[in-house]
Amino acid sequence: LSNPPPPVIAGGQWTWNSPGSTALAPSSFGFTLPAPLQINAGAPLTLARSQDQTITWNGAGYDATTTLTAYLNGHTSDGTGTRNVTCVVPARAGSLTIPAALLAPYPAPSIGTLNVQISPTGESTPHAQLKTMTGATLLMLVSYTTSDTRPIDFQ
């Protein structure tokens, strides 16, 4: 698959609306979500174990506090277990490089998976303060995660 389909939910302007209830006054607030995470490559990804490999994604739109976690999973050289590598980088960097020394222990040829995930936290999380019918303040958080998973062909 050289050109995976685009994500189902688009980034951009969103609005949360509530008509109100016995506990919450009618309210709404707008927020912006960045474009869903997507690795810039086809599937499967071929990783040459003898050299550093760079993975890229659409990093624009994430703030400085948001991180991307990458999980590379495959089998051990004897085939009896699994080998896992985890990397954490700023999401807006748009790339990470996996050193050849971390790739060499994966047997070739073999298959694995790469999962990249972003879960914004802190101030980058869309939020608003709403009022309850009693006048109390209610913090509303829009919690979301975006991820992309690709099969890996270790060579």
Side-chain angles (χ1 to χ4, degrees):
L1 185 63
S2 62
N3 189 17
V8 175
I9 296 177
Q13 291 295 116
W14 290 80
T15 302
W16 180 85
N17 289 303
S18 172
S21 68
T22 57
L24 181 67
S27 44
S28 71
F29 72 96
F31 57 95
T32 302
L33 294 180
L37 174 64
Q38 192 159 25
I39 297 172
N40 297 329
L45 292 173
T46 299
L47 296 183
R49 300 166 38 258
S50 61
Q51 60 190 29
D52 295 353
Q53 297 290 295
T54 299
I55 308 297
T56 62
W57 61 89
N58 58 329
Y62 297 103
D63 71 10
T65 66
T66 302
T67 58
L68 172 136
T69 304
Y71 305 94
L72 180 63
N73 302 299
H75 295 285
T76 57
S77 57
D78 64 7
T80 61
T82 58
R83 176 167 172 72
N84 306 301
V85 172
T86 303
C87 300
V88 178
V89 299
R92 71 179 180 183
S95 69
L96 69 86
T97 299
I98 304 169
L102 293 177
L103 295 169
Y106 290 97
S110 68
I111 60 172
T113 58
L114 173 68
N115 175 268
V116 293
Q117 176 178 304
I118 294 174
S119 298
T121 59
E123 195 154 322
S124 63
T125 302
H127 61 280
Q129 290 187 355
L130 308 176
K131 292 287 184 185
T132 66
M133 296 305 275
T134 63
T137 301
L138 174 69
L139 177 62
M140 174 72 169
L141 300 173
V142 179
S143 178
Y144 70 97
T145 298
T146 178
S147 65
D148 191 356
T149 300
R150 302 291 171 95
I152 298 294
D153 177 16
F154 290 107
Q155 293 297 310

